[in-house]
Amino acid sequence: MSAWQDTRTQWKADREAFLADQQAVRKTGKLPEQLGPPPNGFALLPWLLMGMGAFSNLFRGETENPWIGGIGLFAFNTLYIYVVFRAFTKETRQARSTRGALLAMGAVTCVLAVLYGGSWLLLFPLLGLAAGAIVRGRWLGRTGIGLSALAGVIAGLRDGWDAVNIAYGTFLSTMVTAAILSLSEAVRELRAAREELAHRAVEKERLRFSRDLHDLLGHTLSVIVVKSEAVRRLAHRDLDAALVQVGDIESVGRQALTEIREAVTGYREGSLATELDRARSVLGAAGIEPVVRQSGPPLPARTEALLGWVVREAVTNVVRHSGATRCEITVDGSPERVRARVADDGHGVRVDSPAPPPPPGIGGIGGTGLKGLTERLGAAGGSLTAGAGARGGFVVTAELPVESGEPPVGAGEFAVGAVGFAETAASSAEVPDAAAASDASAKASAPGTAA
């Protein structure tokens, strides 16, 4: 009764969902993925009508020992209902109680068929139907052939050549039922797997969106804050220098808007040289002496993009948290591997910074930006370490293998969900025509003017 109630409740829910899909079809004209409610125990109940001949013989008094026949028929129907309602869940289908009920059902069928024959032999196809609903895998063929042979032998002893029809019906009901229910179960599993994959894809896209948004805007906003502080310091004593900083702020803002648009369309490629020039500018504006060294052969676009993100994030942290007076940026490359190192002479990790001090043994990878960089470099076969330097300060070191033919990556991986953000930013900003925007981008990329 519990299985009956659970199946009935699920059937009602599936039925309501099916009707809702049908209403949507009438409105949109698009067929739903699920063309009907999934099968359940109720779908197999009408086949009990095959036993109406035996019940009719029993009711009209044409059966010897009617009490035995009545009890047997009641036991058969009860076991059949119990088995088929447990056939649509893998756990209950494979339970010992279910298989035991199926064996008991087979024993009852054999006894009734041997005693009465005739219409009672039609209980064998019903037994095959229940067996097909329960048995799966390599035992299905053996079960179908065994039941058919058993039905044929007993029917042959009772009714002669009519045993061929009983054996064929038993085999057909077993195999067809198993095939239909197996296919239905496979479809449900595939649909569940697809929904799970879609859910994971959304989670992955959300994580990538948060990481790229931090990498793309965190540095730019930090530069604007630093240059605004420079304007405040210079305004009362050197107006021309303050105006230069204001121009830089405008260029940085326009460049940020351009980068967001290019990121959304997927065409943004990070340039290491541009990031190094920006690092010089922003460090100088913050009163930190920049020392930049670069050596080695030209790098592929993907490697340059990843190292550009490392330089951008590390320099942003130096400006915001280090309290340093000097920052060294070193890029050493070889045909097989490239190494970037950003070191300052500040006071190391600040306890009042947004990212708490990392626990020992983690390598200093504790902030949101550094975690994002670690994920980026790890996906490319590289590594990132960060922590206190041997002579004080803070050191960020990134290593990457150099491979040819790499596709460029960077903020071009920006999540599709950023489209709305970019459109909002674009609509709220005053952007000149295409030529002016291109001129602003060129100015922002020039050494000493863009951060």
Side-chain angles (χ1 to χ4, degrees):
M1 291 302 297
S2 176
W4 178 292
Q5 286 295 118
D6 293 341
T7 305
R8 187 169 181 270
T9 302
Q10 184 64 39
W11 178 78
K12 286 185 175 180
D14 294 336
R15 177 73 177 174
E16 292 176 359
F18 173 69
L19 293 177
D21 289 341
Q22 292 301 310
Q23 291 179 357
V25 169
R26 286 192 289 269
K27 292 181 180 179
T28 62
K30 182 179 179 181
L31 291 177
E33 294 184 0
Q34 186 169 326
L35 299 179
N40 52 52
F42 289 105
L44 300 180
L45 288 184
W47 293 101
L48 283 175
L49 294 175
M50 293 178 63
M52 286 299 295
F55 178 78
S56 175
N57 292 341
L58 188 65
F59 183 76
R60 291 186 298 179
E62 298 175 358
T63 303
E64 299 179 358
N65 301 317
W67 287 105
I68 296 177
I71 294 174
L73 190 60
F74 177 78
F76 178 88
N77 291 337
T78 302
L79 291 170
Y80 177 87
I81 294 173
Y82 177 81
V83 168
V84 298
F85 272 94
R86 293 172 64 87
F88 295 89
T89 304
K90 185 176 181 180
E91 292 76 12
T92 57
R93 182 173 66 240
Q94 296 179 348
R96 290 184 178 181
S97 58
T98 305
R99 298 184 181 275
L102 183 62
L103 292 175
M105 184 179 172
V108 171
T109 304
C110 291
V111 171
L112 295 177
V114 170
L115 287 178
Y116 301 115
S119 299
W120 295 81
L121 295 174
L122 294 177
L123 298 182
F124 273 111
L126 280 175
L127 175 62
L129 191 149
I134 295 298
V135 181
R136 298 285 191 276
R138 59 191 180 93
W139 289 100
L140 177 60
R142 302 175 186 178
T143 302
I145 294 175
L147 281 180
S148 301
L150 179 63
V153 170
I154 295 178
L157 294 176
R158 294 291 306 184
D159 288 356
W161 286 103
D162 288 342
V164 175
N165 296 330
I166 299 298
Y168 177 73
T170 302
F171 181 79
L172 193 65
S173 63
T174 303
M175 304 307 292
V176 170
T177 302
I180 293 176
L181 295 186
S182 296
L183 180 61
S184 175
E185 185 176 354
V187 170
R188 290 199 304 270
E189 291 178 352
L190 288 174
R191 184 177 290 114
R194 186 176 63 179
E195 292 176 356
E196 178 65 21
L197 289 175
H199 178 73
R200 292 186 179 182
V202 170
E203 293 295 329
K204 183 178 180 180
E205 195 71 11
R206 184 179 294 123
L207 178 61
R208 190 173 67 176
F209 168 74
S210 62
R211 181 193 67 191
D212 289 348
L213 182 62
H214 175 277
D215 293 346
L216 187 64
L217 296 181
H219 172 78
T220 302
L221 295 178
S222 297
V223 172
I224 291 175
V225 170
V226 170
K227 288 189 173 290
S228 299
E229 292 174 348
V231 171
R232 186 186 62 197
R233 293 195 306 268
L234 296 172
H236 64 282
R237 54 188 175 85
D238 192 345
L239 185 58
D240 292 336
L243 291 177
V244 171
Q245 297 294 332
V246 170
D248 286 348
I249 293 174
E250 181 181 1
S251 298
V252 170
R254 294 188 186 279
Q255 180 67 17
L257 182 59
T258 302
E259 288 178 350
I260 292 175
R261 287 173 171 171
E262 292 175 347
V264 171
T265 54
Y267 295 113
R268 186 179 187 274
E269 297 182 9
S271 170
L272 180 59
T274 301
E275 294 299 338
L276 292 175
D277 290 337
R278 291 178 177 178
R280 290 189 186 96
S281 177
V282 69
L283 289 171
I288 302 173
E289 179 187 357
V291 179
V292 180
R293 303 185 184 93
Q294 184 176 7
S295 62
L299 301 174
R302 181 183 185 189
T303 305
E304 278 210 7
L306 291 173
L307 293 181
W309 285 113
V310 172
V311 171
R312 169 181 283 213
E313 178 64 27
V315 169
T316 301
N317 289 338
V318 170
V319 173
R320 293 175 60 188
H321 305 311
S322 69
T325 59
R326 177 185 174 89
C327 179
E328 296 184 3
I329 305 173
T330 306
V331 180
D332 297 321
S334 67
E336 294 81 19
R337 201 164 185 84
V338 63
R339 180 172 178 266
R341 184 175 182 270
V342 181
D344 63 70
D345 61 353
H347 47 64
V349 182
R350 287 175 47 179
V351 295
D352 58 342
S353 63
I362 303 300
I365 309 301
T368 303
L370 294 181
K371 285 182 179 178
L373 287 176
T374 304
E375 296 171 358
R376 286 176 182 272
L377 270 64
S383 62
L384 181 75
T385 58
R391 300 180 180 179
F394 197 77
V395 180
V396 176
T397 304
E399 292 191 11
L400 274 172
V402 178
E403 299 178 1
S404 60
E406 295 172 322
V409 299
E413 298 176 345
F414 208 84
V416 178
V419 174
F421 175 83
E423 293 299 329
T424 303
S427 62
S428 61
E430 295 182 2
V431 183
D433 56 17
S438 175
D439 182 67
S441 300
K443 290 181 180 179
S445 302
T449 60

